[in-house]
């Protein structure tokens, strides 16, 4: 990844800390990403927002895959 292509390191550190330690923030990201980021004072640029949305979709797909994978494995 070239410099400037990723989420700014300081923003990533704060986001990570909040996701790990703040239930309200974590749940807010799933319910209202833009509103939660604004409420917590984040001002991500378009690229950073796109990367965060991509990451959240990947996490969501992984969770769904695990859940449905477990269900289908039980019926084999």
């Amino acid at each position: 990844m070239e410099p400037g292509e990723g989420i700014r390191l300081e923003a990533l550190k704060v986001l990570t800390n909040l996701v790990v330690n703040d239930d309200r923030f974590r749940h807010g990201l799933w319910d209202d990403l833009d509103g939660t980021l604004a409420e917590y004072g984040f001002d991500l640029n378009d690229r950073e927002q796109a990367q965060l949305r991509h990451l959240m979709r990947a996490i969501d797909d992984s969770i769904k895959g695990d859940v449905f994978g477990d269900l289908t494995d039980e019926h084999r």
Side-chain angles (χ1 to χ4, degrees):
M1 182 179 297
E2 294 295 319
E5 284 188 7
I7 295 177
R8 291 166 285 173
L9 185 55
E10 64 274 6
L12 183 58
K13 286 180 183 178
V14 174
L15 278 167
T16 302
N17 185 44
L18 284 168
V19 166
V20 170
N21 296 305
D22 188 327
D23 289 337
R24 187 170 155 265
F25 178 78
R26 184 174 48 254
H27 292 273
L29 288 180
W30 296 108
D31 296 336
D32 178 14
L33 177 66
D34 294 328
T36 300
L37 290 174
E39 178 182 344
Y40 280 77
F42 286 96
D43 184 22
L44 302 181
N45 63 37
D46 291 341
R47 178 177 279 174
E48 292 168 334
Q49 285 187 15
Q51 289 175 327
L52 184 56
R53 288 180 196 288
H54 176 75
L55 175 61
M56 292 185 67
R57 276 192 304 273
I59 292 168
D60 191 45
D61 290 346
S62 176
I63 291 168
K64 287 177 183 173
D66 288 344
V67 169
F68 293 122
D70 290 345
L71 291 174
T72 56
D73 288 343
E74 290 177 9
H75 298 291
R76 287 184 187 179

